[in-house]
Amino acid sequence: QSVLTQPPSASGTPGQRVTISCSGSSSNIGRNYVCWYQQFPGTAPKLLIYGNNQRPSGVPDRFSGSKSGTSASLAISGLRSEDEAVYYCAPWDDSLNGSVFGGGTKLTVL
Amino acid sequence: QVQLVQSGAEVKKPGASVKVSCKASGYTFSYYDIYWVRQATGQGLEWMGWVNPKSGNTVSAQKFQGRVTLTKNTSINTAYMELGSLRSEDTAVYFCARRNNLYYYGLDVWGQGTTVIVSS
């Protein structure tokens, strides 16, 4: 069981804006930067957001991240069918001395 | 191009050990920590530990301490993850990834994954 809490599923229709939450604690989200990863079935995860709200080159600006206190969020605007994937939050955790992962949220585009 | 290439699938019996390799290319191997993550079928990502290729220092998740050994061979730009005393619950895909300080320790390059099946 993860030290981070994400909703197991989320959904939206094309063009909509969807938000995925990630709840942690003072030892992880509260004190450290958060990354988000996108994973398609059968493939390795891909870094989507780093430093709470920064996008690596090549990631569309439809994806945005935010953090407040011990919670973080990933927002996807202008939802597209190709966004259907599993999304993981991943902050560093001081007590574990490692980068931990949320349980993952499966996004379905209806 | 920057990439991590992992060794092939393994089938092991309970109690055995498995050693997965992760070969880096396209960048200076010693500059970035290598992270190990596993994923059981239909499950989420689970961090296992990381190794600093320059110093050889390692950190392992408490769950795997005593069972996992993380090493590196800088002469061939390769990191290794060895997991011992295998049990059926260790059946999973094992990934290595590069941790990039420029990305606030985000894992920006991933290997393709290595499937390890533990079965009698």
Side-chain angles (χ1 to χ4, degrees):
Chain A
Q1 195 162 357
S2 177
V3 298
L4 303 167
T5 302
Q6 291 183 238
S9 64
S11 63
T13 56
Q16 260 191 332
R17 183 176 187 271
V18 170
T19 300
I20 296 171
S21 62
C22 176
S23 177
S25 68
S26 58
S27 68
N28 44 65
I29 295 177
R31 270 205 287 266
N32 298 290
Y33 290 109
V34 179
C35 292
W36 289 88
Y37 297 89
Q38 176 190 56
Q39 187 181 33
F40 298 106
T43 69
K46 170 190 170 184
L47 180 64
L48 201 63
I49 296 287
Y50 68 94
N52 301 331
N53 54 18
Q54 305 297 305
R55 290 182 304 277
S57 61
V59 174
D61 58 7
R62 301 186 297 106
F63 295 90
S64 62
S66 63
K67 184 184 109 166
S68 177
T70 58
S71 294
S73 293
L74 172 71
I76 309 171
S77 59
L79 201 60
R80 298 183 179 183
S81 58
E82 57 259 39
D83 297 333
E84 195 162 282
V86 179
Y87 294 85
Y88 296 91
C89 62
W92 187 262
D93 191 298
D94 291 337
S95 64
L96 302 177
N97 199 14
S99 186
V100 294
F101 295 92
T105 298
K106 181 174 169 56
L107 175 64
T108 301
V109 181
L110 302 169
Chain B
Q1 74 277 28
V2 175
Q3 61 178 352
L4 297 172
V5 178
Q6 299 183 222
S7 49
E10 302 263 13
V11 179
K12 295 291 183 181
K13 293 196 182 301
S17 295
V18 66
K19 191 170 186 177
V20 178
S21 67
C22 172
K23 184 172 177 60
S25 61
Y27 73 95
T28 303
F29 179 61
S30 61
Y31 283 6
Y32 302 86
D33 295 339
I34 294 293
Y35 222 75
W36 290 91
V37 176
R38 78 176 186 180
Q39 185 172 38
T41 302
Q43 302 300 308
L45 302 170
E46 181 176 32
W47 84 287
M48 300 183 68
W50 49 270
V51 57
N52 180 302
K54 189 171 187 177
S55 66
N57 289 343
T58 64
V59 172
S60 303
Q62 188 171 15
K63 175 177 180 177
F64 300 102
Q65 285 176 8
R67 275 210 306 146
V68 71
T69 304
L70 304 176
T71 56
K72 47 79 182 181
N73 183 334
T74 51
S75 66
I76 56 172
N77 294 340
T78 301
Y80 302 92
M81 185 283 300
E82 184 170 19
L83 186 63
S85 303
L86 290 169
R87 30 206 189 234
S88 58
E89 309 89 88
D90 295 318
T91 294
V93 176
Y94 290 75
F95 295 100
C96 63
R98 183 181 82 164
R99 189 170 73 171
N100 194 332
N101 292 358
L102 291 178
Y103 287 155
Y104 296 99
Y105 302 116
L107 306 175
D108 67 334
V109 180
W110 291 69
Q112 81 277 19
T114 295
T115 298
V116 175
I117 296 172
V118 182
S119 173
S120 55

